[in-house]
Amino acid sequence: MKIGVYQFYPEWGQKEQNLLKIREAIYFHKNVDLWVLPELCTTGYQFTSKAELTALAEEFPDGETAHEIMQMTADLQNALIIGVAEKAGSDVFNSAAVFEKGNFLGTYRKIHLFYKEKNYFTPGEEIPRVFDIMGARVGVMICFDWIFPETARTLALQGAELLAHSANLVLPYCQQAMITRSIENRCFTVTANRIGSEERDGEKLVFTGMSQATDYTGVRLAQLKEDEEKVLIADMDLALANNKNITTMNHLFEDRRINLYK
Amino acid sequence: MKIGVYQFYPEWGQKEQNLLKIREAIYFHKNVDLWVLPELCTTGYQFTSKAELTALAEEFPDGETAHEIMQMTADLQNALIIGVAEKAGSDVFNSAAVFEKGNFLGTYRKIHLFYKEKNYFTPGEEIPRVFDIMGARVGVMICFDWIFPETARTLALQGAELLAHSANLVLPYCQQAMITRSIENRCFTVTANRIGSEERDGEKLVFTGMSQATDYTGVRLAQLKEDEEKVLIADMDLALANNKNITTMNHLFEDRRINLYK
């Protein structure tokens, strides 16, 4: 299975322009089966009011962004996971929307909000989900979810073969930690991060790029640079992730001592 | 607080000789407050029968090894955590024994046994413990426990400021993963690994050294080489680990969504 990441510099508030860039990238690499795109990569990341965020947010699958992606994935017969601002009633969620071959499969609503996201987004209230995508089991997580080992574990215990991690990382530790996530869960991982910076209300955030893919044993398959706008493609035999035997006598999940954990 | 690690090459089955080496190392560095020593570092690591293991194992605190360490820590007014084969009735546990200023504080019995340890050792049946040592809260874990994020988490949630990790590592991933453990729990960590190799019954294991100390933000404070017999000393202000605020709006433990985890 060919997993693609498009690491790019989303222009704040320019949804049409950002979607056009995404369209160009994915039509240029038609052999990719599943795309993973950064967090909030159509709207931009930083908001200064709930009204501003709400104006850019959309319903899924009823909004224009969803319709465009359904058309793209129908046309290319592939799948795509994209970070979006999801409007639902008066709430806006920091979500990853999942599409496959013209169909909307659902969203994962980020459960661990980072810093000022708490001012404007509503936290998700559902257990992180594993989606059946292109014949594979794909667990979806967003950015700050990485620091809580429970997130990746929750997805792996539901059978995730791949952890698809949509991100706007500003801290420098995550890319290395995702290697640990792959080792401790024996899952493939892909982190799609953005590049560039945003300055809003006097607060400047610099995003760290370095999007990467790892195999299920913690080997880094590919990594982009911190400032390049580029596609990463990794070929993964995801079924390998179902082998949880670290040694002939150690099964990663059966060896857990769940009665002895806090 | 000065934490010391003695990374060395234990001679299989030579308990007196190994204890003598340990004695020399710790008397040479009298300023260390707490020593962390490798797993099974008085007996050696690989056993070919339960009888062989039982012959080398001792009761704690009634055995000769415990008595020697009580005398050393009384004399030096320090503390010491050491990996030992602990006999209890017909069971032998892969344990870390904890001593402070001449007193035996208890053992942690390894709950995740690796590979052929399962043939001869009994797994621990108690929740990993945090010990009050020299005024600090020290969580104790052994070797393969590292791969299960639940171990470090269980200790951190009980207030561990330092994760003291006694190890005989043969896989190459752990030292990097312990950096993730420190970041995701905001705990200091110290991994005391052995060096050298053991060949028993035709199976040769090579131990990876590279003992290390990290601070509570994932910064590696010091690391030994893979083949050197040497003392590592790290000065740690362990109280810093009680600050779980990653940002002004993110508390690492309060932000956990425990109802949304599997």
Side-chain angles (χ1 to χ4, degrees):
Chain A
M1 188 158 167
K2 286 200 163 44
I3 313 296
V5 168
Y6 180 36
Q7 170 176 295
F8 70 110
Y9 193 153
E11 286 288 329
W12 190 91
Q14 303 299 314
K15 288 200 291 182
E16 276 185 40
Q17 180 182 326
N18 293 328
L19 270 169
L20 194 62
K21 283 181 84 161
I22 291 167
R23 172 184 281 271
E24 281 174 5
I26 76 172
Y27 274 81
F28 197 78
H29 299 89
K30 291 194 169 77
N31 62 334
V32 168
D33 300 298
L34 168 62
W35 288 95
V36 184
L37 299 178
E39 181 183 16
L40 294 170
C41 70
T42 56
T43 56
Y45 178 73
Q46 278 188 291
F47 302 93
T48 58
S49 72
K50 177 76 182 278
E52 184 184 72
L53 170 60
T54 304
L56 285 165
E58 295 179 32
E59 294 186 351
F60 284 79
D62 293 330
E64 184 57 32
T65 296
H67 287 159
E68 284 202 37
I69 296 170
M70 283 192 276
Q71 180 261 315
M72 290 186 221
T73 57
D75 189 23
L76 294 168
Q77 287 294 292
N78 63 7
L80 189 148
I81 299 171
I82 183 170
V84 296
E86 179 190 9
K87 187 154 55 182
S90 62
D91 292 318
V92 181
F93 297 95
N94 181 340
S95 293
V98 182
F99 300 88
E100 183 196 47
K101 299 181 181 176
N103 299 306
F104 170 69
L105 302 188
T107 59
Y108 159 66
R109 295 169 169 178
K110 189 180 187 181
I111 62 172
H112 303 103
L113 297 178
F114 182 71
Y115 196 43
K116 294 187 179 172
E117 295 170 27
K118 292 188 178 188
N119 290 339
Y120 310 120
F121 288 99
T122 304
E125 291 297 337
E126 289 180 18
I127 294 171
R129 288 181 56 180
V130 175
F131 292 83
D132 289 304
I133 303 175
M134 306 294 279
R137 299 276 293 159
V138 181
V140 178
M141 50 194 275
I142 300 176
C143 207
F144 192 51
D145 286 335
W146 74 265
I147 207 170
F148 302 89
E150 295 89 349
T151 319
R153 189 60 122 199
T154 292
L155 294 167
L157 289 173
Q158 293 175 84
E161 298 162 326
L162 170 67
L163 302 176
H165 182 217
S166 175
N168 274 193
L169 297 163
V170 293
L171 300 175
Y173 318 108
C174 169
Q175 289 87 341
Q176 190 64 50
M178 287 303 290
I179 291 176
T180 301
R181 298 286 171 255
S182 65
I183 292 169
E184 70 198 13
N185 292 296
R186 287 177 77 83
C187 290
F188 290 79
T189 78
V190 59
T191 295
N193 194 17
R194 65 163 285 180
I195 61 167
S197 63
E198 274 184 14
E199 186 162 357
R200 306 264 307 150
D201 262 3
E203 181 143 33
K204 184 173 180 181
L205 296 182
V206 179
F207 302 96
T208 57
M210 300 180 76
S211 297
Q212 71 178 14
T214 75
D215 81 0
Y216 71 113
T217 67
V219 173
R220 192 180 267 146
L221 300 172
Q223 185 169 38
L224 299 178
K225 298 200 179 78
E226 64 187 53
D227 55 0
E228 62 185 350
E229 198 157 79
K230 196 171 174 182
V231 164
L232 171 160
I233 299 175
D235 205 345
M236 297 179 177
D237 183 359
L238 294 180
L240 291 171
N242 297 306
N243 171 11
K244 301 298 183 192
N245 291 302
I246 310 171
T247 73
T248 51
M249 298 177 71
N250 290 99
H251 185 280
L252 194 59
F253 289 171
E254 290 170 9
D255 279 4
R256 294 171 72 227
R257 306 294 306 279
I258 54 177
N259 297 325
L260 303 181
Y261 301 148
K262 293 276 181 188
Chain B
M1 188 157 167
K2 285 197 164 44
I3 313 295
V5 168
Y6 179 36
Q7 170 176 297
F8 70 110
Y9 193 153
E11 285 288 329
W12 189 91
Q14 302 300 315
K15 288 199 291 182
E16 277 186 39
Q17 180 183 325
N18 294 328
L19 271 169
L20 195 61
K21 283 181 84 163
I22 291 166
R23 171 183 282 272
E24 281 174 4
I26 75 171
Y27 275 80
F28 198 78
H29 299 89
K30 290 193 170 77
N31 61 335
V32 168
D33 301 298
L34 168 62
W35 287 95
V36 183
L37 299 177
E39 181 184 16
L40 293 170
C41 70
T42 56
T43 57
Y45 178 73
Q46 277 188 291
F47 302 93
T48 59
S49 72
K50 177 76 181 279
E52 185 184 73
L53 169 60
T54 304
L56 286 165
E58 295 180 31
E59 293 186 351
F60 283 79
D62 293 330
E64 184 57 33
T65 296
H67 287 160
E68 284 202 36
I69 298 170
M70 284 191 276
Q71 180 263 312
M72 290 186 220
T73 57
D75 190 24
L76 294 168
Q77 286 294 291
N78 62 8
L80 189 149
I81 298 171
I82 182 170
V84 296
E86 179 191 9
K87 187 154 55 184
S90 62
D91 292 318
V92 181
F93 296 96
N94 181 340
S95 293
V98 182
F99 301 87
E100 183 195 47
K101 299 180 181 176
N103 299 306
F104 169 69
L105 301 189
T107 59
Y108 159 66
R109 295 169 169 176
K110 188 180 188 182
I111 62 171
H112 303 103
L113 297 178
F114 182 71
Y115 196 43
K116 293 186 180 173
E117 294 170 27
K118 291 190 180 188
N119 291 338
Y120 310 120
F121 288 99
T122 303
E125 291 298 337
E126 290 180 17
I127 294 171
R129 286 182 57 179
V130 175
F131 293 83
D132 288 305
I133 303 175
M134 306 294 278
R137 299 276 293 159
V138 181
V140 177
M141 51 193 277
I142 301 177
C143 207
F144 191 51
D145 285 335
W146 73 266
I147 207 170
F148 301 90
E150 294 90 349
T151 318
R153 189 62 121 200
T154 292
L155 294 167
L157 289 173
Q158 293 175 84
E161 297 163 325
L162 169 68
L163 302 175
H165 182 216
S166 174
N168 273 193
L169 297 163
V170 293
L171 299 175
Y173 317 107
C174 168
Q175 289 86 343
Q176 190 63 51
M178 287 304 290
I179 291 176
T180 302
R181 298 286 170 256
S182 65
I183 292 169
E184 70 198 12
N185 293 296
R186 288 177 75 85
C187 289
F188 290 80
T189 77
V190 59
T191 294
N193 194 17
R194 62 163 287 179
I195 61 166
S197 62
E198 275 185 12
E199 185 161 358
R200 305 268 303 154
D201 263 2
E203 181 143 33
K204 184 174 181 180
L205 294 182
V206 179
F207 302 96
T208 58
M210 300 180 74
S211 297
Q212 72 177 14
T214 75
D215 80 2
Y216 71 113
T217 67
V219 173
R220 193 181 267 144
L221 299 173
Q223 184 168 40
L224 299 178
K225 298 200 178 77
E226 65 187 52
D227 57 358
E228 62 185 349
E229 199 157 77
K230 196 170 173 182
V231 164
L232 171 160
I233 298 175
D235 206 345
M236 297 179 177
D237 183 358
L238 294 180
L240 292 171
N242 296 306
N243 171 9
K244 301 299 183 191
N245 293 301
I246 310 172
T247 72
T248 52
M249 299 178 70
N250 290 100
H251 185 280
L252 193 59
F253 289 170
E254 290 170 8
D255 279 4
R256 293 171 73 228
R257 307 293 307 279
I258 53 175
N259 296 326
L260 303 181
Y261 301 148
K262 292 277 180 186

